[in-house]
C-alpha cells in the first residue's frame, strides 16, 4: 500500500537569518516556520468518512451527488486504506450561485464529475489548526497535462525537467473566515473524517480557465499594458533583423534568429503565456507569479495617452541594437524596466553572480492577504541555488495599507504609493492585482 502525505507548501519565510543556511542547501524555496513551544499531537477522533459527513449535512446535497456519481472513492481506495484526503465542499446555495444544481450534476459525464470533484480535493489531512493569516498552498488532485511548471516534486519518469501542472488552492484564515485565493468563502467550518476532513464553503471557488495574459486581454482595462509590450517585441526583432542583414548578407527570419539567440527578450516577454517546448510538443511551460497590472488610465496619468506614445518613448530613449563586435543583441527599451516591476518583481535590476548568474527565484504567488509589509518588505525574491548568498535579490517593493486599501511603491522611489483598486483576479498561473498608477523607480524620468 502506498501512503500519500500532505502535498502542501508554505508560501512564507518568517525568519530569513535563522533559515539562511537551510535555504541555500535545499531546492525548495518555500518553508514551514519553526514550531514554538511544545507540540501537541493532533488527534483525529472522527467516526465518519467523507461521504458520510457530506450525507449528514443537508446543505451539501449537490456536492454529495457529484461525489457519489464520480469515481473519487475508487481513486482514493486505490491509494491504500490509510490514505487521507481533504475536501473543499461548497454548499448547495454556493453552487447554485455558480450555476451548478442537481440537474447540472445529473447531466455531467463521469469524466466531467471526476474533474469537478478532484479540483476541490487534495491529498492528506489538513486541519484548521494548520491555517493562518498567510496563504498555504495545496495542490489539488486535478492536473492539466497541457501545462508544466518548474521541477520540484516530480512524479513523472526520471529525466523530465518540469512537473506537470496541478490546479492549486491558497488557504488562509481571517476574522473567523476561510480564505481561498485571497477571498473569503464564508465562516471557517472544518469537520474531520476518518479518511481526511472537509472544509465547508459558503461561496464556490471557480476553476481558473485563463492564463495571466488571457485574463488581461479579456478584461479590457489593460490594452496599453499588453499592446505596448507586444509591439515593442515586434520592434525589437525588426531592429535585430535590420542590423544583421548587411552583416550576414541576407535577411533571416525571426525563427532563425531565435535559433541562434533563444534567450533574446527573455527578461521581458516570457511568462505571459504557456510557452511551447520542442521536447514536449503537447505541453507548455507556465510561470507562476502575481502580476501588478496598471490600467490604461494609469498610463494616462503618467502622460501616455496612447500605445503609440509608449512606443515613441521607447524609440527615443532606447538603445536596442545588434552588436557587430560581440555578435549578439544588446541594449533595451526604457519601458522594459517599468514592465519588469509590474510583471517580474523588478528582477531586471537584480544583481547577478558573475560566475553563476541570478540566484534561484523564490515564490512570488501572493494573494491580497499576503501583501503585508511584515511578511514581504524584507522578503527575498531570489535567493539560493547556484548563486552565492551576497547576490540574493531582496524585495524591491514597499507594501503598505491605508485603512483597507493596499498600497505599494518601489523602495526609495519619489512617487506616492500606487493603490490596488482590485485584487485576487485568479488565473491558472497566479493572481492579478490591479494598480491605478505605474510603478516608477527612483531616478526614472517619464518626461
Amino acid at each position: 500500500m502506498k501512503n500519500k502525505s500532505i502535498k502542501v507548501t508554505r508560501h512564507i519565510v518568517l525568519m530569513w537569518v535563522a533559515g539562511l543556511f537551510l535555504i541555500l542547501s535545499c531546492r525548495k524555496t518555500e518553508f514551514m516556520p519553526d514550531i514554538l513551544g511544545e507540540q501537541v499531537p493532533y488527534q483525529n477522533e472522527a467516526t465518519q468518512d467523507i461521504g458520510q459527513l457530506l450525507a449528514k449535512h443537508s446543505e451539501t446535497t449537490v456536492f454529495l451527488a457529484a461525489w457519489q456519481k464520480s469515481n473519487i472513492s475508487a481513486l482514493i481506495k486505490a491509494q491504500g486504506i490509510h490514505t487521507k484526503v481533504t475536501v473543499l465542499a461548497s454548499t448547495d446555495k454556493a453552487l447554485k450561485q455558480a450555476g451548478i444544481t442537481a440537474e447540472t450534476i445529473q447531466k455531467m459525464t463521469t469524466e466531467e464529475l471526476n474533474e469537478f470533484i478532484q479540483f476541490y480535493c487534495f491529498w492528506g489531512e489538513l486541519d484548521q489548526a494548520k491555517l493562518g493569516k498567510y496563504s498555504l498552498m495545496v495542490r489539488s488532485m486535478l492536473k492539466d497535462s497541457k501545462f508544466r511548471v518548474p521541477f520540484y516534486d516530480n512524479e513523472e519518469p526520471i529525466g523530465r525537467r518540469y512537473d506537470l501542472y496541478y490546479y492549486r488552492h491558497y488557504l488562509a484564515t481571517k476574522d473567523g473566515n476561510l480564505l481561498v485565493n485571497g477571498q473569503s468563502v464564508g465562516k471557517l467550518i472544518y469537520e474531520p473524517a476518518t479518511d481526511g476532513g472537509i472544509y465547508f464553503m459558503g461561496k464556490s471557488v471557480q476553476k481558473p480557465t485563463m492564463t495571466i495574459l488571457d485574463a488581461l486581454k479579456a478584461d479590457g482595462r489593460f490594452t496599453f499594458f499588453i499592446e505596448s509590450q507586444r509591439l515593442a517585441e515586434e520592434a525589437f526583432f525588426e531592429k535585430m533583423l535590420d542590423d544583421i542583414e548587411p552583416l550576414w548578407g541576407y535577411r533571416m527570419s525571426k525563427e532563425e534568429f531565435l535559433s541562434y539567440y533563444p534567450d533574446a527578450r527573455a527578461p521581458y516577454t516570457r511568462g505571459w503565456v504557456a510557452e511551447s517546448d520542442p521536447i514536449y510538443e503537447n505541453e507548455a511551460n507556465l510561470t507562476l507569479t502575481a502580476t501588478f497590472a496598471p490600467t490604461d488610465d494609469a498610463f494616462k496619468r503618467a502622460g501616455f495617452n496612447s500605445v503609440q506614445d509608449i512606443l515613441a518613448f521607447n524609440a527615443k530613449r532606447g538603445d536596442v541594437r545588434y552588436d557587430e563586435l560581440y555578435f549578439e543583441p544588446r541594449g533595451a527599451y526604457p519601458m522594459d524596466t517599468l514592465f519588469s516591476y509590474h510583471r517580474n518583481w523588478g528582477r531586471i535590476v537584480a544583481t547577478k553572480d558573475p560566475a553563476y548568474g541570478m540566484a534561484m527565484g523564490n515564490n512570488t504567488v501572493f494573494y491580497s492577504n499576503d501583501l503585508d509589509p511584515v511578511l514581504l518588505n524584507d522578503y527575498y525574491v531570489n535567493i539560493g541555488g547556484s548563486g552565492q548568498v551576497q547576490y540574493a535579490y531582496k524585495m524591491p517593493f514597499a507594501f503598505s495599507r491605508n485603512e483597507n486599501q493596499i498600497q505599494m511603491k518601489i523602495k526609495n522611489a519619489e512617487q506616492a504609493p500606487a493603490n490596488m483598486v482590485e485584487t485576487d483576479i485568479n488565473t491558472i498561473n497566479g493572481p492579478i492585482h490591479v494598480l491605478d498608477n505605474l510603478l516608477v523607480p527612483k531616478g526614472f524620468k517619464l518626461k
Side-chain angles (χ1 to χ4, degrees), residues 211-216 222 225-226 229 270-273 287-294 338-345 347 364-367 371 397 399 408 420 422-427 429-435 439:
T211 64
I212 290 172
L213 178 57
D214 292 335
L216 289 172
F222 309 105
F225 188 44
I226 298 166
Q229 292 183 77
R270 290 190 177 172
W272 278 98
V273 293
T287 299
L288 304 179
T289 189
T291 294
F292 304 103
L338 265 65
F339 291 144
S340 179
Y341 281 108
H342 284 277
R343 289 187 39 205
N344 196 31
W345 297 76
R347 287 185 173 100
T364 51
V365 179
F366 295 113
Y367 288 81
L371 301 178
F397 301 128
F399 292 92
M408 66 182 297
M420 290 189 190
E422 186 177 353
T423 60
D424 306 321
I425 300 175
N426 201 31
T427 74
N429 49 328
I432 297 170
H433 305 300
V434 183
L435 297 185
L439 298 171

Side-chain angles (χ1 to χ4, degrees), residues 9-13 28-32 137 362-363 379:
T9 308
R10 178 71 75 177
H11 280 261
I12 62 174
V13 179
K28 289 283 187 181
T29 60
E30 305 156 337
F31 300 90
M32 297 289 286
M137 188 275 279
N362 209 349
N363 166 56
Y379 183 84

Side-chain angles (χ1 to χ4, degrees), residues 19-28 31 383-385 387-389 392:
L20 185 57
F21 293 103
L22 175 61
I23 292 171
L24 295 175
S25 64
C26 182
R27 292 200 64 192
K28 289 283 187 181
F31 300 90
I383 191 167
Q388 300 176 71
V389 65

